[in-house]
Amino acid sequence: MARIERQKRIIDFTLSSLLRRKGKNLALIAAYSWIVFLLASVLFITEAIRREAGLVLQDAPEIIVQRLVAGRQESIPVAYGEKIKTITGVRSVKGRLWGYYYDPTNGANYTLVVEEDRLKEAGRVIIGEGVARNVVGESYGTMPFVGYDGAYYFFEVAETLPADSSLVAADLIIVSATDFRALFGIAESLVTDIVVEVRNPREFETIAAKIKAMLPDTRPVLRDEILRTYDTLFDWRGGLIVIILLGSLMAFIIFAWDKATGLSAEEKREIGILKALGWETADVLMIKFWEGATVSLLAFFNGVLLAYAHVFLTESSLFEPVLKGWSVLYPRFALTPYINAYQLWALFFLTVVPYTVATIIPSWRAAIIDPDSVMRT
Amino acid sequence: MRTRKSHLLLVYLTLNLIAFCGMFVQAAHQRSASQAVLQRNRTLVRQLGLTDLCLFTDARYTRHPAMADLHTPFQDYPMSFEHFPSGSLMPPPPHLRSHGAH
């Protein structure tokens, strides 16, 4: 009990000492919280997107065969599919028709997909939630398109996909094969790419190698590769993420540096007085430990809780301009929260521990000097 | 009796810890609530043969990064700089970086 009471008194003293420099310490907590908030927000959003991609794309096509001409993807002849079908181990081969359509009326890019089981009838479309949000014509029940030959097409909006499918289908427009071919002038003998299903999942690589050997101008993309694409999404080594992380890290290093390179004259005098009054070096260090721990714990809790609310309750509203970029259509980032104790421990050890340690070292240096000389300086 | 500062701090930290636990509870609840949506999206991916999440729609190679080739960011001419903001968020997929095309 006495030990707890002693610690409580030390905390009382520490808080009074912090409150004496209220402005400076509040600014410190605010800036420190902001750093934790940024790091935690990036951590939460990337993990949530990665996990969601991993779960949703589990049923993505097993192998997709594209045709490359001069390094670019081109339409692939249906006859290629017939050749692929002869490879032992191939269960089925199906041509996919899909492409992009730029809508000059609102600057949006749509992804047009053909799904004949869902939409056989020509002249009708099923649109994604993002398309419905942005297209004026949707309220009139039709959508205008300009074909490759300049001809106008008006498709009736048959259905809008549910809002919660936004993360996979915000910009989708499902059209019939007839309309797709008419719109883009694609011959019956061509498809965009070919989906290959394999009997034995362990043979994906072998079949892909056989396709490549049989049809050298093709590029097979495996499902594993699709999933790995999202594993490295928002890679910390690349792009804007590294800028955010570096900015935060630099700000944090400045804090730690400021603390580690020495105490203010006022803080040194305070330590000198305490020592002169009979406080032990261990007591002074305990005060400084609680000081560092209080500031960093408050910043850690504030930062993480605000980041959680930001990412999962406000759909990453602060990052919205960055995530939207130049997109006219964008999904609602209503992500499912995938948080784990490991992430938070990592964040805790990267922020709270270094700061707390950094506050103790200079205090230890001041506390072992003779109190008289500390007070005189 | 005057409230001690240490007590106020402990109460505040305890409240934060409770909020932390609440965060995990809310996350677990939301995860189980979104199972149906997840399943629906998986079905949509299977039916339509989708390969990518719809995160960015400004550039082809960030809308469908898994389907992109190394030329797509330089679609205007060989020396053109990659200029879409989403391109700075999304690196090229590993299968393009490691060994080019298959």
Side-chain angles (χ1 to χ4, degrees):
Chain A
M1 269 323 267
R3 270 189 184 178
I4 294 173
E5 187 53 36
R6 185 166 168 268
Q7 290 299 326
K8 275 199 211 165
R9 284 177 195 279
I10 290 176
I11 295 172
D12 283 337
F13 184 87
T14 308
L15 291 174
S16 301
S17 163
L18 284 174
L19 286 171
R20 270 199 298 279
R21 294 180 293 272
K22 207 186 293 175
K24 187 189 164 195
N25 285 318
L26 280 178
L28 185 68
I29 292 171
Y32 195 170
S33 304
W34 175 248
I35 292 166
V36 177
F37 167 80
L38 278 183
L39 287 172
S41 293
V42 171
L43 204 70
F44 288 156
I45 198 166
T46 50
E47 184 64 14
I49 293 178
R50 263 188 221 145
R51 294 288 291 269
E52 197 130 348
L55 291 168
V56 167
L57 297 175
Q58 265 175 19
D59 290 335
E62 292 172 358
I63 301 177
I64 288 175
V65 183
Q66 299 176 325
R67 181 171 173 240
L68 295 183
V69 176
R72 288 166 189 267
Q73 196 202 334
E74 293 280 336
S75 298
I76 186 166
V78 176
Y80 277 35
E82 297 303 318
K83 286 185 184 171
I84 293 169
K85 220 182 263 180
T86 62
I87 297 171
T88 317
V90 171
R91 189 170 60 190
S92 73
V93 170
K94 191 183 169 194
R96 278 201 317 167
L97 280 170
W98 67 279
Y100 302 102
Y101 179 82
Y102 173 73
D103 190 342
T105 58
N106 59 10
N109 287 309
Y110 308 133
T111 300
L112 269 67
V113 183
V114 170
E115 214 282 289
E116 296 194 89
D117 294 337
R118 198 162 180 142
L119 197 76
K120 289 193 179 80
E121 227 175 304
R124 303 181 82 196
V125 288
I126 296 172
I127 60 173
E129 177 265 339
V131 182
R133 244 189 299 146
N134 283 271
V135 178
V136 182
E138 199 260 338
S139 54
Y140 301 107
T142 56
M143 270 188 78
F145 289 86
V146 183
Y148 76 101
D149 52 357
Y152 279 89
Y153 296 85
F154 292 90
F155 297 143
E156 185 194 335
V157 178
E159 188 188 328
T160 301
L161 294 170
D164 50 26
S165 66
S166 176
L167 204 60
V168 287
D171 69 334
L172 284 194
I173 297 181
I174 305 172
V175 292
S176 68
T178 319
D179 288 336
F180 187 87
R181 289 187 190 281
L183 204 56
F184 298 114
I186 295 175
E188 286 286 339
S189 60
L190 295 172
V191 284
T192 313
D193 49 31
I194 292 170
V195 172
V196 179
E197 282 187 326
V198 176
R199 284 198 189 94
N200 183 356
R202 279 181 298 184
E203 284 186 336
F204 285 168
E205 295 267 357
T206 319
I207 304 277
K210 282 183 182 173
I211 295 170
K212 182 73 187 153
M214 182 189 267
L215 304 160
D217 61 340
T218 59
R219 182 179 76 142
V221 179
L222 307 183
R223 185 198 281 158
D224 275 357
E225 289 173 334
I226 294 172
L227 293 172
R228 272 206 299 274
T229 299
Y230 287 89
D231 257 352
T232 58
L233 180 79
F234 301 138
D235 191 354
W236 69 270
R237 286 168 297 182
L240 216 69
I241 300 299
V242 81
I243 304 290
I244 292 175
L245 292 180
L246 269 182
S248 307
L249 202 69
M250 281 309 294
F252 186 71
I253 287 170
I254 291 166
F255 279 151
W257 182 257
D258 181 49
K259 282 279 170 190
T261 47
L263 304 169
S264 66
E266 193 193 339
E267 284 172 308
K268 277 185 186 165
R269 204 168 52 244
E270 189 180 310
I271 291 174
I273 292 168
L274 291 175
K275 292 269 305 204
L277 286 171
W279 285 52
E280 297 289 328
T281 304
D283 299 331
V284 175
L285 291 184
M286 191 55 78
I287 292 174
K288 288 297 162 185
F289 164 77
W290 278 116
E291 201 178 293
T294 306
V295 168
S296 48
L297 275 176
L298 290 180
F300 178 75
F301 281 127
N302 291 346
V304 172
L305 290 170
L306 285 173
Y308 184 85
H310 168 234
V311 174
F312 300 116
L313 304 181
T314 71
E315 299 182 4
S316 312
S317 50
L318 278 179
F319 290 172
E320 205 176 83
V322 180
L323 292 170
K324 271 188 199 170
W326 291 350
S327 306
V328 174
L329 297 184
Y330 45 88
R332 292 215 161 104
F333 281 89
L335 298 168
T336 308
Y338 288 97
I339 53 167
N340 57 53
Y342 171 75
Q343 284 175 327
L344 295 175
W345 271 118
L347 198 63
F348 183 84
F349 275 101
L350 280 172
T351 54
V352 174
V353 175
Y355 184 83
T356 309
V357 172
T359 52
I360 293 176
I361 294 167
S363 311
W364 171 73
R365 275 205 214 119
I368 54 170
I369 306 171
D370 176 41
D372 180 48
S373 65
V374 172
M375 280 189 283
R376 278 175 200 279
T377 53
Chain B
M1 201 178 92
R2 221 168 124 250
T3 316
R4 284 175 66 173
K5 289 191 180 81
S6 56
H7 288 174
L8 286 177
L9 180 72
L10 287 175
V11 167
Y12 185 73
L13 289 179
T14 311
L15 286 176
N16 273 307
L17 267 177
I18 293 168
F20 240 62
C21 296
M23 191 171 83
F24 278 95
V25 172
Q26 202 267 351
H29 179 260
Q30 213 172 312
R31 274 202 299 275
S32 67
S34 62
Q35 282 306 308
V37 174
L38 205 67
Q39 200 51 49
R40 233 185 359 252
N41 285 344
R42 269 181 78 167
T43 310
L44 200 64
V45 165
R46 192 173 52 244
Q47 281 177 348
L48 300 179
L50 302 179
T51 52
D52 289 273
L53 295 187
C54 175
L55 297 176
F56 311 107
T57 62
D58 46 357
R60 282 187 287 153
Y61 53 94
T62 52
R63 171 62 184 93
H64 291 101
M67 296 290 99
D69 55 60
L70 282 172
H71 281 247
T72 42
F74 312 102
Q75 48 199 306
D76 297 329
Y77 55 97
M79 289 296 285
S80 73
F81 287 114
E82 191 278 310
H83 55 270
F84 284 102
S86 55
S88 62
L89 283 172
M90 186 172 262
H95 58 274
L96 284 185
R97 278 182 289 171
S98 56
H99 52 90
H102 268 284

